[in-house]
């Protein structure tokens, strides 16, 4: 930790390194290409406060895949410093950064809204190219004069760009490159606002792949004709003066049933509804400055054709408009209608409830069937692993059709108008309006206040990120957030569901992965409370797959170690609950370690005990053994690494809340 300097190319192409890279806390100087090509490193990267300059290619091609944490003391970054790393989550740039050089953040997985530093002066070639998860409106700071070729190429989820008056040129390379234009193939762009009265020079190809006839290019009123004649800008079919008139959200959708939605109009003066479809009502139809209005989409008969239209708001006396796009889709199920996917046939209490709810699915996602397919797939993944496969008949499974205004989920910097306000929290984990989720789940056929704490709720965010997490309550209630992960096995959607929902949410199992190459702090000091946490959860009857002792006859699975039916695989292995030492697990691999489709034997036993208790039946160990099915081949095989990612990169420990969500709801109702 006292190391202050790492020289040029010190660890160049050391592909034998694996695991998380932790830089020394007193590092002051880092050489060019110091870790370039260390392609088997994984996890987060934290730049220490003492390091203020990141040189050229310092971490290029490491494929770390975790989160990147930069501090405000960083004054400069070299070319390709973080290129080809697969970093995910939001990127928070140092506030005093003046330049973002060529390929600096090329080919990563950053998500959320990109906020550029206020005093930024230049953006280099392909600086953010291929960060396709970046979303929202990108505001280029005043003072930036040039955007280099390919700077934001292939950032196809960007929704808007604000170009400052200081902008002089927007670049592109000649030839057939797919990333040569500054905004090439940014197909999601639906808004460009230019603040300059003098059009910036746009090189040919800078906006290739942007739908230039689908939205209005907004420019200063005095400069409309200049933009209409300027090279590059004249390709945009609609160019008009920019005024302050915004409708949020600017989209609305509905299924067949009547749907009401609140819109906020923010105007620089008086506004009115200029036009609307005859199947929509807007109340009030006029106002001044900021006003809330109610948009009502009228019901349509089942079997009708889908319909689309626009509610057009207009600034009075200025002939300036803003549109809210409205769509309505025909579907066999109504908004918020409950659907029983499975009815329990075993147990004494009418079945154990699982409620699966999507968030960030709009009417189109629901009507084209992708929502219900995703929900059903999550259910099959949940029951595709033992012991849930054998004990499936103990469960009721319900879903409904909660309609979101927009598709997708938000981030710290980006709002998505979805049903339960599901959002990523700075790239690590997910949260939502938990009260809203619990209230909604109580509408399921057999879910009640009496069994809510024994009901598993699975929320399926409409996102392809891995970042699942389980929000748990001491009473037993749980909401498992399981995104539609597109990462490679075993970190695909199946791995997320089985780890978060089956492992944490229902099974109350603890994480077995290792983040820290250190002892778990058994003394309970404030800097590392993990030992006390684990001790508390064990006392609650949770996390039975872990132990703070390594003594053969003291671990919770000692009866399995000496049982001939399990002794070939069950033993004592050190490492778990984020620490490599001082905490113990029963088997080498499991779903709680690396997301493979296999729960350890003690985990399966713990899950079956919970199933029996919730079902009002008595647990018997011999009965468990009789019905137990184990997959030793899965338990002992290594995980694939095609994606250069590991569970260490993306798994997030559950968040445990005090008490029961019911108490909070009751107190709110009394108030």
């Amino acid at each position: 930790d006292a190391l202050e300097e790492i020289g040029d190319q010190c660890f160049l192409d050391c592909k034998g390194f694996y695991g998380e890279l932790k830089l020394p806390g007193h590092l002051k100087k880092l050489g060019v290409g110091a870790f370039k090509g260390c392609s088997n490193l994984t996890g987060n990267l934290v730049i220490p406060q003492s390091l203020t300059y990141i040189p050229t290619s310092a971490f290029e091609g490491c494929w770390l895949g975790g989160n990147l944490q930069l501090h405000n003391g960083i004054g400069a970054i070299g070319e390709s410093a973080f290129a080809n790393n697969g970093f995910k989550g939001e990127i928070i740039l140092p506030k005093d950064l003046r330049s973002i050089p060529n390929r600096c953040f090329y080919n990563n997985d950053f998500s959320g809204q990109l906020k550029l530093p206020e005093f930024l002066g230049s953006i280099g070639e392909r600086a953010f190219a291929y960060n396709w998860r970046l979303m929202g409106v990108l505001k280029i700071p005043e003072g930036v004069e040039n955007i280099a070729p390919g700077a934001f190429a292939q950032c196809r989820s960007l929704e808007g760009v604000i170009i400052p008056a200081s902008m002089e040129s927007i670049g592109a390379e000649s030839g057939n490159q797919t990333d040569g234009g500054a905004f090439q193939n940014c197909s999601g762009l639906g808004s460009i606002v230019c603040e300059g009265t003098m059009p910036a020079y746009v090189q040919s190809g800078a906006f290739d792949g942007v739908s230039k006839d689908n939205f209005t290019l907004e420019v200063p009123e005095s400069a409309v004709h200049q933009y209409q004649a300027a090279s590059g800008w004249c390709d945009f079919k609609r160019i008009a003066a920019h005024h302050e008139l915004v409708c949020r959200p600017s989209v609305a959708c509905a299924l067949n049933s009547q749907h009401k939605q609140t819109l906020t109009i923010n105007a620089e003066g008086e506004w009115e509804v200029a036009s609307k479809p005859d199947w929509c009502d807007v109340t009030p139809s006029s106002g001044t400055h900021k006003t809330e209005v109610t948009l009502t989409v009228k019901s349509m008969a089942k079997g009708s054709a889908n319909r689309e239209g626009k509610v057009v708001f207009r600034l009075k006396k200025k002939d300036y408009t803003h549109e809210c796009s409205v769509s309505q889709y025909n579907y066999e199920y109504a908004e918020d209608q409950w659907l029983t996917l499975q009815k329990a046939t075993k147990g004494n209490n009418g079945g154990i409830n699982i409620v699966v709810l999507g968030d960030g699915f709009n009417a189109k996602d629901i009507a084209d069937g992708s929502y219900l397919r995703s929900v059903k797939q999550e259910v099959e993944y949940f029951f595709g692993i033992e012991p849930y496969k054998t004990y499936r008949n103990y469960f009721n499974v319900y879903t409904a059709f909660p309609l979101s205004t927009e598709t997708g989920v938000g981030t710290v910097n980006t709002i998505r108008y979805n049903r339960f306000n599901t959002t990523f929290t700075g790239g690590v984990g997910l949260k939502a309006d938990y009260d809203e989720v619990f209230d909604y789940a109580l509408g399921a056929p057999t879910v009640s206040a009496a069994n809510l704490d024994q009901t598993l709720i699975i929320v399926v965010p409409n996102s392809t990120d891995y970042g699942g997490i389980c929000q748990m309550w001491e009473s037993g209630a749980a909401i498992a957030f399981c995104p539609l992960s597109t990462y490679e096995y075993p970190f695909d959607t199946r791995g997320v569901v089985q780890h978060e929902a089956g492992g944490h949410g229902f099974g109350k199992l603890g994480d077995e992965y290792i983040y820290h190459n250190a002892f778990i702090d058994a003394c309970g000091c404030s800097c590392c409370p993990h030992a006390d946490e684990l001790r508390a959860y064990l006392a609650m009857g949770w996390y039975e797959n872990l132990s703070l002792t390594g003594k053969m006859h003291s671990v919770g699975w000692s009866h399995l170690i000496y049982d001939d039916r399990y002794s070939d695989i069950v033993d004592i292995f050190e490492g778990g609950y984020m620490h490599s030492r001082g905490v113990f697990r029963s088997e080498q691999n499991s779903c709680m370690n690396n997301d493979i489709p296999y729960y350890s034997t003690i985990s399966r036993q713990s899950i079956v005990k919970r199933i029996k208790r919730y079902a009002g039946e008595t647990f018997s160990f011999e009965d468990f053994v009789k019905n137990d099915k184990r997959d030793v081949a899965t338990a002992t095989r290594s995980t694939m690494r095609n994606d250069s990612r590991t569970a260490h990169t993306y798994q997030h420990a559950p968040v445990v809340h005090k008490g029961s969500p019911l108490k909070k709801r009751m107190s709110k109702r009394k108030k």
Side-chain angles (χ1 to χ4, degrees):
D1 195 53
L3 187 67
E4 295 185 357
E5 182 175 345
I6 298 175
D8 292 351
Q9 300 183 351
C10 186
F11 301 103
L12 178 68
D13 289 331
C14 289
K15 294 179 171 58
F17 287 156
Y18 62 92
E20 192 167 353
L21 172 62
K22 293 193 175 182
L23 298 175
H26 297 90
L27 187 65
K28 295 180 180 179
K29 185 177 180 181
L30 187 64
V32 171
F35 293 96
K36 183 178 180 180
C38 296
S39 56
N40 284 310
L41 291 173
T42 55
N44 303 324
L45 179 63
V46 178
I47 304 300
Q49 295 290 325
S50 55
L51 189 62
T52 58
Y53 170 61
I54 312 298
T56 298
S57 299
F59 303 99
E60 182 179 2
C62 288
W63 292 109
L64 287 155
N67 300 118
L68 174 62
Q69 185 175 322
L70 305 172
H71 60 84
N72 281 329
I74 296 173
I77 302 175
E79 292 190 6
S80 302
F82 300 105
N84 293 320
N85 263 292
F87 284 123
K88 72 183 291 285
E90 294 190 81
I91 177 172
I92 310 299
L93 295 170
K95 64 181 182 65
D96 294 326
L97 201 63
R98 296 297 199 271
S99 173
I100 299 175
N102 297 344
R103 294 172 56 90
C104 187
F105 300 103
Y106 176 85
N107 196 21
N108 280 284
D109 252 357
F110 291 118
S111 58
Q113 185 174 8
L114 175 63
K115 291 195 172 182
L116 298 174
E118 181 181 358
F119 302 109
L120 190 68
S122 66
I123 304 172
E125 294 182 13
R126 296 172 175 81
F128 293 97
Y130 292 96
N131 281 270
W132 71 272
R133 297 176 198 269
L134 290 175
M135 59 181 67
V137 176
L138 173 66
K139 180 174 176 58
I140 308 296
E142 185 67 40
V144 175
E145 297 180 351
N146 305 288
I147 300 178
F152 300 98
Q154 304 291 342
C155 294
R156 63 180 185 268
S157 296
L158 286 178
E159 299 158 56
V161 180
I162 300 174
I163 298 173
S166 61
M167 187 64 62
E168 295 181 0
S169 68
I170 300 175
E173 289 180 351
S174 59
N176 298 318
Q177 296 96 331
T178 59
D179 57 4
F183 294 96
Q184 188 165 348
N185 290 332
C186 291
S187 55
L189 283 179
S191 167
I192 299 178
V193 176
C194 296
E195 297 177 334
T197 54
M198 180 66 68
Y201 173 63
V202 175
Q203 292 180 303
S204 177
F207 290 98
D208 278 1
V210 174
S211 299
K212 301 180 182 68
D213 54 353
N214 281 1
F215 60 89
T216 299
L217 174 68
E218 299 181 46
V219 303
E221 193 163 14
S222 62
V224 171
H225 295 301
Q226 289 95 312
Y227 278 87
Q228 289 173 335
S231 174
W233 297 117
C234 64
D235 296 335
F236 289 84
K237 306 303 181 187
R238 299 158 59 187
I239 302 177
H242 175 71
H243 289 287
E244 189 60 43
L245 175 63
V246 179
C247 168
R248 295 193 306 268
S250 57
V251 293
C253 61
L255 297 173
N256 299 74
S257 53
Q258 177 178 289
H259 176 79
K260 289 182 180 289
Q261 184 172 317
T262 300
L263 306 176
T264 299
I265 309 300
N266 195 1
E268 62 187 46
E270 290 186 276
W271 61 269
E272 63 184 355
V273 175
S275 63
K276 62 179 181 61
D278 58 8
W279 41 276
C280 293
D281 286 330
V282 181
T283 307
S285 59
S286 62
T288 183
H289 301 300
K290 185 178 285 187
T291 312
E292 276 196 351
V293 304
T294 300
L295 168 66
T296 303
V297 182
K298 300 174 184 178
S299 61
M300 70 178 187
K302 289 285 181 68
S304 301
N306 300 337
R307 52 192 184 185
E308 296 181 349
K310 295 182 184 294
V311 177
V312 180
F313 298 93
R314 178 170 58 201
L315 273 178
K316 290 184 178 180
K317 303 177 183 178
K318 292 194 176 178
D319 197 28
Y320 183 77
T321 62
H322 187 89
E323 299 173 345
C324 176
S325 300
V326 188
S327 55
Q328 190 169 27
Y329 292 84
N330 176 66
Y331 193 52
E332 58 183 312
Y333 300 108
E335 179 181 352
D336 298 328
Q337 180 178 341
W338 284 99
L339 178 64
T340 301
L341 299 177
Q342 175 178 305
K343 191 69 178 170
T345 58
K346 290 185 177 180
N348 299 323
N349 296 333
I352 305 165
N353 299 318
I354 297 178
V355 177
V356 188
L357 301 171
D359 203 16
F361 292 87
N362 64 13
K364 182 179 183 299
D365 297 327
I366 294 174
D368 67 15
S370 59
Y371 168 72
L372 190 54
R373 283 194 300 273
S374 296
V375 167
K376 288 181 176 179
Q377 183 67 79
E378 300 264 307
V379 172
E380 292 309 309
Y381 283 145
F382 181 89
F383 289 110
I385 184 173
E386 294 292 350
Y388 294 113
K389 187 184 296 185
T390 294
Y391 291 83
R392 180 169 185 161
N393 289 339
Y394 282 85
F395 292 88
N396 303 310
V397 184
Y398 305 108
T399 191
F401 299 90
L403 181 63
S404 290
T405 300
E406 293 183 293
T407 190
V409 297
T411 66
V412 169
N413 294 321
T414 307
I415 295 174
R416 276 289 179 276
Y417 293 91
N418 50 38
R419 181 65 174 81
F420 301 115
N421 297 318
T422 302
T423 180
F424 282 98
T425 57
V428 288
L430 291 136
K431 66 177 183 178
D433 185 335
Y434 307 129
D435 290 341
E436 187 71 19
V437 174
F438 284 120
D439 279 339
Y440 197 99
L442 282 167
T446 59
V447 178
S448 65
N451 61 32
L452 185 63
D453 286 335
Q454 295 183 355
T455 295
L456 172 63
I457 301 173
I458 302 175
V459 171
V460 184
N462 191 8
S463 169
T464 56
D465 276 328
Y466 177 91
I469 195 169
C470 192
Q471 303 285 342
M472 303 166 70
W473 280 257
E474 291 175 336
S475 62
I479 303 174
F481 290 89
C482 302
L484 302 171
S485 171
T486 56
Y487 292 123
E488 295 289 340
Y489 169 90
F491 314 121
D492 52 1
T493 308
R494 177 213 51 77
V496 177
V497 173
Q498 292 174 355
H499 182 98
E500 301 295 345
H504 292 313
F506 186 84
K508 304 298 187 281
L509 304 176
D511 285 315
E512 297 178 2
Y513 52 76
I514 298 169
Y515 277 173
H516 312 299
N517 186 25
F519 277 94
I520 192 167
D521 186 6
C523 68
C525 70
S526 60
C527 64
C528 183
H530 293 144
D532 281 348
E533 283 180 3
L534 181 52
R535 203 172 284 114
Y537 299 143
L538 289 168
M540 292 164 56
W542 295 8
Y543 295 12
E544 292 181 346
N545 57 315
L546 296 169
S547 175
L548 283 169
T549 177
K551 296 179 180 179
M552 282 282 186
H553 294 283
S554 299
V555 295
W557 54 89
S558 59
H559 60 294
L560 299 171
I561 296 174
Y562 299 101
D563 191 314
D564 291 341
R565 294 165 293 189
Y566 297 105
S567 59
D568 61 322
I569 193 170
V570 178
D571 208 310
I572 296 176
F573 298 87
E574 192 165 15
Y577 206 64
M578 295 160 284
H579 294 268
S580 63
R581 306 298 302 277
V583 62
F584 303 88
R585 63 189 191 277
S586 64
E587 297 182 29
Q588 188 71 270
N589 294 312
S590 83
C591 187
M592 305 315 294
N593 183 11
N594 50 23
D595 283 17
I596 59 171
Y598 171 82
Y599 294 120
S600 66
T601 309
I602 188 61
S603 297
R604 298 196 302 276
Q605 177 186 303
S606 183
I607 291 169
V608 173
K609 282 169 63 178
R610 192 169 300 277
I611 291 172
K612 290 287 190 175
R613 179 159 63 87
Y614 286 2
E617 296 182 358
T618 302
F619 172 80
S620 159
F621 177 70
E622 288 304 320
D623 185 57
F624 161 74
V625 173
K626 178 183 176 182
N627 293 288
D628 187 37
K629 298 178 181 66
R630 64 184 225 180
D631 183 356
V632 177
T634 299
T636 55
R637 77 171 182 248
S638 299
T639 60
M640 294 168 62
R641 298 197 58 192
N642 295 350
D643 204 33
S644 295
R645 306 167 201 268
T646 72
H648 295 194
T649 303
Y650 295 111
Q651 286 174 324
H652 306 299
V655 176
V656 181
H657 304 265
K658 296 288 185 183
S660 167
L662 284 170
K663 291 182 180 178
K664 185 176 180 182
R665 293 178 66 260
M666 293 302 182
S667 67
K668 283 179 69 176
R669 288 187 174 184
K670 287 179 182 178
K671 289 178 182 179

